[in-house]
Structures are given as structure tokens and as C-alpha cells.
Amino acid sequence: AAKHQKQVEITHIVSPDGEHLELVSKIQVSQGPEAWMQALEQKMFETLKKLLYKLSPTKGYTQSSEKYPGQLLITFAQYQWTSEIEKALMDADPNKSLNNQHTQHKKVILTKLTSRVRSNLDRIERLKVVSLITIELHHRDIREQMLKDR
């Protein structure tokens, strides 16, 4: 008699903090661990890449943080900050660019994040917003140090 084995599928992953990330497609756990673990790693990268492209520099990440994993939001914040600083440094007057435009933009972001952290958030969302505030404050400190060192 043939034995019926239950097919195991991986549809999402869960972080130690409890964040759920639904994968772009299911993974069948039917072969040895090397095969399905490699497939899982590939699907994680595909999923995160797809989500990263959905984050928009014009819309920002401050209001849509519940839709995205925390680490992805931090990565996007770092990428966006680096791009903005690079653009300011390439400007004819980097000090003016770093002081005016960049400062106002970051104040808006910090204000939005601060407002969100004061609202009624679940534990995971609060962790994400607090992490983003920390990153933004770090960005501010680096920018100020750059201006001071010029």
C-alpha cells in the first residue's frame, strides 16, 4: 500500500519580532533540505526585491510602513538618504543644498514619524517606526557633522 505523505508548503516567513512576510510564490518542501532551503532563500530575495521597487521616493515610507517589513524600510531609508546627500554634494553649493532643501525634507519625515509613534500602534509597527526615527536622527547627525567639517 502506498503511503500518503502530506505535502508541506512554505508560503511566508516570520521574523523573531513576529513580522510576517508572504513570499511571491509557494515553496514545496518535498526534497532534501538543501533544495528547499535554497529555494526559500531565492524566494525571500525575489519577494524583498519586488517590495523594494514598490516603495516610492515621492510617496515616502513614513505612512506606508505597515505594508512593508521593517528591514526593508530601513534599507530604503538608507538608500534614499544616500542618494539625496550625493545629489546635494554634487550641487554647485553643497553647503546650501545640505542646509536648506535636505533639512526641510528630513524635518517633514521626522514630524510624520513622530506623529505616527504617538498614535495607537501595535508592537511590530511601533518597533518599525522607532527604528525609522533612529535612522533619521542618525542621518541628521551625520549631515550636521558633514557641514561642520567642511
Side-chain angles (χ1 to χ4, degrees):
K3 293 182 181 179
H4 293 290
Q5 291 183 339
K6 182 179 179 182
Q7 276 289 29
V8 177
E9 295 178 335
I10 300 173
T11 58
H12 64 279
I13 55 177
V14 181
S15 77
D17 291 331
E19 262 188 303
H20 289 254
L21 176 64
E22 190 165 334
L23 300 172
V24 290
S25 60
K26 300 175 193 174
I27 298 168
Q28 298 292 327
V29 180
S30 58
Q31 303 168 350
E34 297 85 11
W36 66 262
M37 297 257 327
Q38 189 173 26
L40 175 60
E41 182 180 37
Q42 182 182 358
K43 291 299 176 201
M44 286 180 355
F45 283 124
E46 283 178 38
T47 301
L48 292 172
K49 185 177 180 181
K50 184 177 178 180
L51 288 173
L52 185 60
Y53 284 122
K54 285 184 178 182
L55 280 166
S56 166
T58 55
K59 293 180 184 175
Y61 52 84
T62 58
Q63 297 301 318
S64 59
S65 61
E66 66 278 347
K67 297 177 186 175
Y68 299 97
Q71 191 61 46
L72 194 69
L73 292 169
I74 290 169
T75 299
F76 184 78
Q78 296 284 47
Y79 169 78
Q80 189 174 28
W81 179 81
T82 302
S83 297
E84 290 168 357
I85 290 294
E86 182 179 27
K87 184 178 176 184
L89 290 173
M90 298 295 202
D91 194 89
D93 187 357
N95 286 347
K96 183 178 177 184
S97 293
L98 285 171
N99 261 329
N100 297 335
Q101 182 183 20
H102 191 74
T103 302
Q104 292 307 314
H105 174 67
K106 290 301 180 178
K107 281 182 182 177
V108 169
I109 288 173
L110 274 170
T111 300
K112 287 179 180 179
L113 289 170
T114 302
S115 175
R116 291 220 44 229
V117 83
R118 291 179 179 157
S119 67
N120 188 19
L121 300 174
D122 65 34
R123 186 181 69 78
I124 292 172
E125 192 60 25
R126 182 167 302 284
L127 283 171
K128 287 194 273 187
V129 174
V130 167
S131 295
L132 288 170
I133 289 172
T134 303
I135 290 294
E136 289 300 334
L137 291 173
H138 181 67
H139 290 163
R140 182 198 62 194
D141 294 347
I142 291 172
R143 183 190 51 78
E144 288 175 1
Q145 188 64 45
M146 289 172 68
L147 284 167
K148 182 179 164 191
D149 291 347
R150 284 187 81 60

